[in-house]
Amino acid sequence: MASRGFCRELYSCIFDYSTPRIALIKSRKVGVMNRLIQLGILAYVIGWVFVWEKGYQEFDTVVSSVTSKVKGVAVTNTSALGTRIWDVADYVIPPQEENAFFVMTNLIITQNQTQGHCPDLPDQSTICNSSHDCIPGFISTHSFGVQTGQCVAYNETVKSCEVYAWCPVENDTELPEPAFLKEAENFTVLIKNNIWFPKFNFSKRNILPNVTTSYLKTCLYDRMHNPFCPIFRLGSIVSEAGESFRDMAIQGGVMGIQIRWDCDLDKKFSKCVPRYSFRRLDSRELDHNVSPGYNFRSAKYYKNINDVESRTLMKVYGIRFDILVFGTAGKFDIIPTMINIGSGLALLGVATVLCDVIVFQFFKKRYYYREKKFKHVEDYDELSGNEEHGSNP
Amino acid sequence: MASRGFCRELYSCIFDYSTPRIALIKSRKVGVMNRLIQLGILAYVIGWVFVWEKGYQEFDTVVSSVTSKVKGVAVTNTSALGTRIWDVADYVIPPQEENAFFVMTNLIITQNQTQGHCPDLPDQSTICNSSHDCIPGFISTHSFGVQTGQCVAYNETVKSCEVYAWCPVENDTELPEPAFLKEAENFTVLIKNNIWFPKFNFSKRNILPNVTTSYLKTCLYDRMHNPFCPIFRLGSIVSEAGESFRDMAIQGGVMGIQIRWDCDLDKKFSKCVPRYSFRRLDSRELDHNVSPGYNFRSAKYYKNINDVESRTLMKVYGIRFDILVFGTAGKFDIIPTMINIGSGLALLGVATVLCDVIVFQFFKKRYYYREKKFKHVEDYDELSGNEEHGSNP
Amino acid sequence: MASRGFCRELYSCIFDYSTPRIALIKSRKVGVMNRLIQLGILAYVIGWVFVWEKGYQEFDTVVSSVTSKVKGVAVTNTSALGTRIWDVADYVIPPQEENAFFVMTNLIITQNQTQGHCPDLPDQSTICNSSHDCIPGFISTHSFGVQTGQCVAYNETVKSCEVYAWCPVENDTELPEPAFLKEAENFTVLIKNNIWFPKFNFSKRNILPNVTTSYLKTCLYDRMHNPFCPIFRLGSIVSEAGESFRDMAIQGGVMGIQIRWDCDLDKKFSKCVPRYSFRRLDSRELDHNVSPGYNFRSAKYYKNINDVESRTLMKVYGIRFDILVFGTAGKFDIIPTMINIGSGLALLGVATVLCDVIVFQFFKKRYYYREKKFKHVEDYDELSGNEEHGSNP
């Protein structure tokens, strides 16, 4: 009997169609209100979610590879070095990096350093009157050597603790101003960027296919007139970011070259283009200027005839250009589309809920309407015949 | 009185259960159609969203760290350098990088450069007949020096403007062909990759736990037979990408070693494995070959007995291998699951809407059905007794 | 006529309000159960999706730029090199990198190498008894030269194949223990990190605005007391990751400095702070220790008076610190909010479905309730008057 009941249930489940019964209230006020709310929700779902925010698309982030090539020559004339020419091999350190390149703009050079004993650079912790002020084996925070415990003359007026170090020690108290290689402003860089969206197996280069070789040989990036030229003048990069190259060259700094690839892969291939923008990445705030700007120390090593090693220490100030590539590609995909449609349909139900609240709580005729909408089903015990149920058994 | 009314409402709200009244239409056609549409939506939600696209998972992208180690020795025999051996310290520049490594394959070497005056490399802008053709202080785009204003003999037939530069200037018009270090094809590289999914605190290495040391000492990556061996032959990397190493070695280039980690963390740890693929990243298109391939300039600095600095300039052509690590991990999470279930349920409502449209608009018996589904509730003013409402007051 | 019918339909569609008819079952059991299920779903949607997982927010991942500056001096005293001081320019190779820095901790130095003939380092494949054991032109896997075919004495007891290589060949069989530059433990590094969330155009630095210069000059990172100090002691980084610096210094290794930026941009600017954590990235597993730790070869090149090039080969062991920056920022956005609300509303429907199943399948009074909820509409052919339909035509 139970199985027969189950069969009937299953039969009914498959072959009967159940649709909610509807009370159709013929009231212009509510009808129009209901449609307006639904229209609003529909407009939001279609206009905002689908058209504006491309809710029908699946997204992927970019995988990128960058190479860069700097060009330019500068001449300097200083008492220490004489007239000297600086080319790419001199001022780009290290010669190649992955997503960045560094251009030297200022320099404190200490030539012919050898390992030995010499007075330390005088500062708060190294100036001394006698050997009692110096502790053998002590390494001061800013020093590049180990104190021997002696107090020796740094120059005619000042005595400082002797250190075992690369001697003579570097004196970085006075930074050349204006910057040593201020001509770097006119150097140019060619940036080649290859991007890939793994999910869609879509790849593109920042040298666009419609660009000719002759154009590339003469063009220079300009936000207005040459927005797709991959050759940049260093000075323009800095000024586009609202900074002064002359100022930045002195202490060095970090510049971000941002390449944004926002691609709608449902559109044409040629519509997917890079957008360049520039931003200074290091802090300019004067109130916490602990090691401001950007610099590092690099050395060239030599050996003399007696096989003694010497080095030229360079405290190199300069601008590191970080090439930050980011962006997303969107392409039609059924999953987000369906999620958004489903969610939108559910939101349409809100219209009915809202209208119900207004009609059945605030309308004058609410008791009349309620009577039509609700069928009160009492519990057995309290059954009474005062409700609408036409044909009780 | 108002509060009493409110109390009754609240009581009713909590203790009454409201369920929509359903018109159960006993029609096989509509019943089966309804179930079929529902089945389709269910199949889509379960099959596609959940099983195929893993809609029940939360996703995270990979954080990666890469080290690489190149091995191999090459011998060259040229008139300029004599017989010379090249090992890792010679051809990998810089000696270590973060997500990349560079292997020199071709070389234009200019030895014993010192700062001084010499004729520039003759080209369109530097060939001259007399000193009038040369502008003191002018820097040509492709030059590495500053013109002095003199016109001097470059060789017996050609005169060019004198420059102040590292002399003699580099002559990069003739590139060795075949490539200088074409033996680099047989060099091998060991790539160690450590990945981490921060959201799930899951980390793994590309050297899988089931691999033995003896295997690692002899294995060589092969897409078919050794897909998890982390040691790659450079020539194989290039040929897997469909390129010719011999050709690429001449001008240099950029190769992408792509490591994809697509991990289903609901499965076993051992199922999360890296997939290697290879792609050439620089442009091969002949029509915009502005600085094709990949090269950079690097210099070694020397000092002679008289403390005069000289350098060996190397225009280094080679292949930079960028190791691009990407991928996503998925793990069961309640949020996306519920979003997808909710969205799926809402989509199920579409079945009723569709069937309603068909039944109540296109069925012959639509007026009969409509009568059962809809209860027309007229506005007071137009009240008439021609609708189903058994017990009007 | 058809168009008149259509007009009436349209009129009805716009001005009629259709609301589902509800059977209001006055049963405390079901009513309370229904409300409890709804409350549970609501609590999940509001509490978990919105409050906990911030379902009302749009998310973006971080774009980051890092610079680092190491400080410290070490003295070594070995028979080969004598007393020697090591400063930043000596032990950081290359002098600058983008998202990483390398500190040398151990060293195998081979001085005065020149290109020439010498016996190879004796191992399985190079030890020989006579010239018959050596193959001219053969390059052994671990060798740095090409065999000439001769068998010569390596020392008094062992003979090995002669190679053409940089001579004398490096002997890396014995690694200094304890590490050569074990003092590197006390070196410090200043890490500057600039982050940017492109979607929200929000940028911040890891040197927080409320930090003073004097604090930065003396502070040292400590997870408990100075969690926002950007200056780290190398030894502390390693020990925070649960490793021993002394052990790691011998073979080298890769450490990850993880900076996590999880920012809620709906909150105050000052609440968006970096969180540092440390992790060892290279394998410590002893069972596959093929080239364990981290090392690379670097060379310094010299020329003697006769213009013969020599080099100092350094097999540099050390710790590479990879700075891994990751994180997400969330900000209120209407799209995910609406998706989650829509999905939540749809889930609320589950309550009715669940209660319906319980009431209409398991309640004693189910037949009575069913009668109230369902209106059976038979197909014409099988029409019979035994169902509730008060006013048939």
Side-chain angles (χ1 to χ4, degrees), chain A residues 167-181:
Chain A
C167 286
V169 296
E170 178 190 274
N171 180 354
D172 59 355
T173 47
E174 266 176 60
L175 196 52
E177 204 163 328
F180 189 65
L181 273 181

Side-chain angles (χ1 to χ4, degrees), chain A residues 111-118 164-168 304 308-311, chain C residues 85:
Chain A
Q111 290 183 297
N112 291 320
Q113 283 190 327
T114 50
Q115 302 239 340
H117 296 82
C118 53
Y164 183 76
W166 284 96
C167 286
N304 71 5
V308 175
E309 198 175 21
S310 70
R311 72 173 190 186
Chain C
I85 195 117

Side-chain angles (χ1 to χ4, degrees), chain B residues 24-228:
Chain B
L24 212 70
I25 298 179
K26 292 198 174 298
S27 160
R28 295 193 182 183
K29 261 195 288 181
V30 202
V32 167
M33 189 175 67
N34 181 41
R35 291 296 165 207
L36 282 183
I37 295 177
Q38 284 183 339
L39 257 179
I41 292 171
L42 218 69
Y44 156 76
V45 169
I46 291 176
W48 181 253
V49 177
F50 280 90
V51 177
W52 187 255
E53 295 274 342
K54 304 211 170 60
Y56 55 87
Q57 288 190 334
E58 164 118 83
F59 293 98
D60 193 14
T61 51
V62 75
V63 171
S64 148
S65 162
V66 174
T67 62
S68 60
K69 189 161 201 176
V70 182
K71 271 205 174 147
V73 180
V75 194
T76 62
N77 198 336
T78 57
S79 55
L81 294 168
T83 304
R84 204 189 137 101
I85 196 119
W86 297 84
D87 65 12
V88 172
D90 297 323
Y91 62 69
V92 175
I93 306 165
Q96 69 119 350
E97 283 182 276
E98 210 190 352
N99 290 304
F101 61 95
F102 172 85
V103 173
M104 182 207 294
T105 55
N106 214 349
L107 180 65
I108 290 171
I109 198 162
T110 315
Q111 290 183 298
N112 292 319
Q113 283 190 328
T114 51
Q115 300 238 340
H117 296 83
C118 53
D120 204 351
L121 189 68
D123 74 2
Q124 230 171 319
S125 65
T126 58
I127 286 180
C128 59
N129 290 317
S130 74
S131 300
H132 296 293
D133 299 337
C134 303
I135 309 138
F138 176 74
I139 298 169
S140 159
T141 324
H142 293 279
S143 172
F144 289 99
V146 180
Q147 293 193 1
T148 58
Q150 303 296 314
C151 184
V152 293
Y154 180 75
N155 55 26
E156 280 129 49
T157 56
V158 180
K159 288 173 87 176
S160 71
C161 290
E162 193 192 53
V163 285
Y164 184 75
W166 286 95
C167 286
V169 297
E170 178 191 273
N171 180 353
D172 60 354
T173 46
E174 266 177 58
L175 196 55
E177 204 163 331
F180 189 66
L181 274 181
K182 57 183 182 300
E183 286 98 329
E185 194 168 359
N186 293 317
F187 294 172
T188 59
V189 61
L190 163 66
I191 293 173
K192 292 195 205 169
N193 178 213
N194 181 298
I195 57 125
W196 188 44
F197 294 105
K199 222 179 251 174
F200 311 123
N201 199 15
F202 176 94
S203 73
K204 199 161 184 183
R205 300 188 175 89
N206 71 330
I207 301 177
L208 301 178
N210 59 342
V211 153
T212 60
T213 308
S214 61
Y215 175 73
L216 280 178
K217 275 194 174 141
T218 57
C219 79
L220 210 55
Y221 172 83
D222 180 276
R223 199 160 48 82
M224 297 295 287
H225 307 101
N226 291 303
F228 301 127

